[in-house]
Amino acid sequence: MNLQQSKNYPAQLVFINGQQTITNSLIVADYFGKLHHHVLRKIETILKDAPHEFTSNHFWCNVQNQQVGATTRDLKCYHLTKDGFMFLVMGFTGAKAAELKINFINAFNEAQKRLSRTTHPFERQRMMFTWEGGKIVSSQPIHDDQFVTSRDKLVQYMREPRFLSLEQLLEISEAANQQIATLARLAEKQARLR
């Protein structure tokens, strides 16, 4: 997703993780239109230069497996708290960067409000925020067994090992086969009518 897409399509920018609101370096790079390795380099400079007491509380590394063609590789990214995010993007300049910083700050604040309203203080909640025109238009909790993806990435996720159980894959396969048979019958009927 680039800046242009983020204004036209919903975007998830901030998540609730336990009792913290966080984002990650992939989202920041994507939303600000920067290369991820440049954002990683900036974070690693912060980790080297800033006091450890600050960085250890606001930045933590996460390595994810990513499918690239037929192979998988480890993708390094950092999770950031609101303070870590603010420290990182202080150097991003320009009118567009200012607008995007405000959008991110609003997303953190909205997530924090939702977190504060949680009836069980130790309940873990994941949230999805919908953005249109640079503003939050809705938000909703996401259960642990739910995920949001694009149609293009759905097949990629299904190919990832251990993402779905065998039973789930069989159920999806059966549903896909039924849909294919239905579409084939419709196409056959339409061909006869011509």
Side-chain angles (χ1 to χ4, degrees):
M1 173 183 63
N2 58 35
L3 174 60
Q4 214 38 298
Q5 289 174 317
S6 68
K7 292 192 180 227
N8 299 322
Y9 299 103
Q12 286 181 277
L13 301 178
V14 176
F15 303 90
I16 295 175
N17 181 20
Q19 291 298 298
Q20 287 186 306
T21 52
I22 63 168
T23 190
N24 69 44
S25 57
L26 290 165
I27 293 170
V28 171
D30 194 38
Y31 198 69
F32 280 87
K34 297 189 176 293
L35 295 174
H36 186 241
H37 70 272
H38 290 163
V39 173
L40 287 178
R41 191 175 332 134
K42 184 153 178 76
I43 290 171
E44 287 167 357
T45 300
I46 291 169
L47 295 174
K48 188 172 53 168
D49 295 343
H52 179 71
E53 298 79 39
F54 177 83
T55 59
S56 63
N57 289 321
H58 299 290
F59 296 89
W60 61 98
C61 187
N62 183 26
V63 178
Q64 304 169 347
N65 288 334
Q66 181 183 29
Q67 183 98 18
V68 179
T71 62
T72 59
R73 66 178 178 141
D74 289 338
L75 176 66
K76 182 180 187 179
C77 86
Y78 282 91
H79 289 265
L80 302 80
T81 64
K82 181 178 181 181
D83 291 346
F85 166 79
M86 296 296 292
F87 197 94
L88 171 66
V89 301
M90 283 182 358
F92 298 178
T93 59
K96 291 261 190 224
E99 179 185 338
L100 296 176
K101 286 184 217 181
I102 291 167
N103 290 341
F104 246 107
I105 292 166
N106 289 338
F108 271 110
N109 291 338
E110 179 66 27
Q112 191 60 47
K113 279 185 210 170
R114 286 200 164 271
L115 185 60
S116 299
R117 288 190 294 241
T118 302
T119 54
H120 305 289
F122 298 108
E123 181 180 315
R124 179 177 171 266
Q125 237 183 346
R126 295 169 55 222
M127 300 296 297
M128 179 178 70
F129 296 94
T130 304
W131 290 72
E132 288 179 8
K135 296 190 187 308
I136 297 173
V137 294
S138 70
S139 61
Q140 67 184 49
I142 300 175
H143 299 286
D144 285 339
D145 65 345
Q146 293 179 310
F147 70 100
V148 179
T149 188
S150 66
R151 290 180 188 162
D152 297 339
K153 290 192 175 189
L154 181 59
V155 173
Q156 178 184 341
Y157 285 125
M158 290 175 61
R159 288 185 174 137
E160 285 188 25
R162 297 180 303 275
F163 184 74
L164 296 168
S165 70
L166 176 60
E167 292 81 18
Q168 291 168 325
L169 287 170
L170 289 171
E171 191 176 336
I172 290 168
S173 176
E174 183 180 325
N177 288 335
Q178 288 172 353
Q179 186 68 9
I180 291 167
T182 301
L183 292 173
R185 282 191 298 273
L186 286 173
E188 190 177 299
K189 276 185 184 178
Q190 287 178 347
R192 279 191 227 142
L193 294 174
R194 289 185 190 158

